[in-house]
Amino acid sequence: MITPPQEAPHNPRVALFVTCLVDLFRPSVGFASVKLLEEAGCRIEVPDTQVCCGQPAYNSGDRKDTAAIARQVIKAFEGYDYVVAPSGSCAGMLRDHYPALFAGDPEMKARAEAFAARVWELTSFLVDVLKLETIQATLPAKATYHDSCSGLRELGVKRQPRQLLAGVNGLELIESPAAETCCGFGGTFCVKYGEVSADIAGRKTQAIKETGADLLLAGDMGCLMNMAGKLQREGAAVTVRHVAEVLAGMTDLPGIGEGEPR
């Protein structure tokens, strides 16, 4: 596993990896990420040649097409001090899996390793690299946090979002015993094994409801959309949001899956 450096240059040039789900389903997460990064002193750019990180192909065993995708992503993000993604699963793909795709190509492997060393998940970047300690945001709510599998197990993201959320005025964070339990999404897993996925999701949402929280937070749109859909089908009064929206004070929009205002 590559361990990226943790010494940030002054006013770093940061590229935002938007992610497909943010782009297509929840652009507000991208805008919230930009706001947080700019307020932390970063110069933000969003390369318009970026594409999917390649997880669907990778998880389906298609290494050839994944490598082709990776080449395009690496090229799009070269030249930046850091690459930041509001997603543990996408950041994990970029950082932990790209170098192995080019084991037989020394030149591309070196480029992939240099790229991976600059990739960070959003809350980890704010806390571990930029050393952000306080957040100026207010949201009166009782929230519980879900740790996505990739963010937690591949990148070690757990304390960072909680540390930032602790500074949100009016927010009470209630820990669930099942915080680290998979939500059942798993990308292509939920399509291939729908019944198993639904059972896992049901156990997860039951644990969420038992906390008494009225707000569910996480750092991955896949997990959030999956849990939001299940909670709504169950009639649960739990709003679902990406952690970036709360930290940036951008909670005017309806929760995930609740529809957009007209």
Side-chain angles (χ1 to χ4, degrees):
M1 181 183 296
I2 293 174
T3 303
Q6 297 187 10
E7 293 297 330
H10 176 68
N11 195 27
R13 184 171 177 240
V14 176
L16 182 69
F17 186 88
V18 177
T19 86
C20 298
L21 294 182
V22 168
D23 182 36
L24 296 173
F25 295 101
R26 196 72 172 180
S28 58
V29 174
F31 293 123
S33 300
V34 169
K35 182 174 184 287
L36 287 167
L37 291 166
E38 286 184 338
E39 290 180 348
C42 300
R43 294 173 290 147
I44 308 302
E45 296 182 36
V46 183
D48 57 11
T49 55
Q50 64 179 286
V51 294
C52 174
C53 69
Q55 279 190 83
Y58 183 82
N59 292 339
S60 299
D62 185 356
R63 298 296 189 268
K64 180 179 179 180
D65 284 334
T66 306
I69 292 168
R71 286 176 184 273
Q72 184 169 344
V73 171
I74 291 169
K75 181 179 179 180
F77 287 91
E78 284 180 325
Y80 294 96
D81 294 321
Y82 298 100
V83 178
V84 175
S87 164
S89 61
C90 292
M93 179 68 200
L94 301 175
R95 195 162 108 179
D96 281 11
H97 300 294
Y98 269 23
L101 292 170
F102 303 104
D105 185 339
E107 181 181 352
M108 267 310 301
K109 187 173 187 294
R111 288 177 63 191
E113 289 176 342
F115 167 76
R118 294 179 286 111
V119 172
W120 289 84
E121 182 273 340
L122 176 65
T123 62
S124 178
F125 182 69
L126 292 171
V127 172
D128 298 328
V129 179
L130 298 184
K131 310 300 181 185
L132 194 64
E133 297 181 355
T134 59
I135 286 288
Q136 300 298 318
T138 299
L139 183 64
K142 293 183 178 180
T144 192
Y145 195 89
H146 162 71
D147 298 296
S148 75
C149 294
S150 295
L152 176 67
R153 294 172 176 86
E154 291 184 339
L155 304 176
V157 177
K158 184 173 179 69
R159 63 175 176 80
Q160 299 93 331
R162 289 169 172 81
Q163 178 177 320
L164 296 174
L165 288 169
V168 177
N169 293 325
L171 187 70
E172 177 186 352
L173 193 60
I174 305 170
E175 288 292 347
S176 167
E180 296 184 2
T181 302
C182 178
C183 72
F185 177 62
T188 56
F189 173 84
C190 68
V191 178
K192 293 179 179 178
Y193 306 101
E195 291 184 4
V196 177
S197 174
D199 181 71
I200 295 172
R203 299 184 188 198
K204 183 72 178 186
T205 53
Q206 181 60 36
I208 291 167
K209 290 183 287 187
E210 288 175 357
T211 66
D214 52 35
L215 177 63
L216 170 63
L217 300 174
D220 269 274
M221 277 298 300
C223 300
L224 289 164
M225 291 172 64
N226 189 50
M227 293 183 290
K230 186 67 172 176
L231 287 165
Q232 288 172 23
R233 289 192 293 275
E234 294 172 344
V238 180
T239 299
V240 180
R241 296 191 184 280
H242 192 285
V243 64
E245 295 175 312
V246 172
L247 295 176
M250 296 173 62
T251 55
D252 293 336
L253 288 176
I256 292 170
E258 295 179 2
E260 298 296 326
R262 296 183 178 179

